[in-house]
Amino acid sequence: MNPAIASTFHANGVAVSLAGGSGQFFNQAAAVIFTVLFAGIATFILLKIVNALVGLRVDVEDEDAGLDLTQHGERAYTD
């Protein structure tokens, strides 16, 4: 469970935060949701920028030959 929400508990069937009641619980839940959405959107934007500049994948030929050889110039396994 997220630490921002983990500081809450139930008292008499109502979610209560150690920091200030059920209102604070909903504030913390909203902050967690906002953070997850922000991180997801920011990651998507950064991936699109990187993909446009240099690409996210290697060529199919490099992948078939093996990335250890084509990207690092060494063999991972001996034949």
Side-chain angles (χ1 to χ4, degrees):
M1 180 175 268
N2 191 310
I5 305 296
S7 62
T8 62
F9 61 94
H10 284 78
N12 298 325
V14 177
V16 180
S17 173
L18 297 175
S22 60
Q24 182 63 26
F25 171 78
F26 292 114
N27 288 339
Q28 288 173 250
V32 169
I33 291 169
F34 173 79
T35 302
V36 169
L37 288 175
F38 177 77
I41 292 168
T43 299
F44 178 78
I45 291 170
L46 288 172
L47 286 173
K48 286 296 188 181
I49 291 170
V50 169
N51 190 34
L53 294 175
V54 295
L56 293 174
R57 299 210 43 173
V58 296
D59 295 332
V60 175
E61 295 82 21
D62 288 346
E63 208 170 329
D64 288 339
L67 297 181
D68 54 337
L69 184 61
T70 61
Q71 300 297 308
H72 304 288
E74 58 190 12
R75 288 202 173 279
Y77 303 102
T78 59
D79 291 329

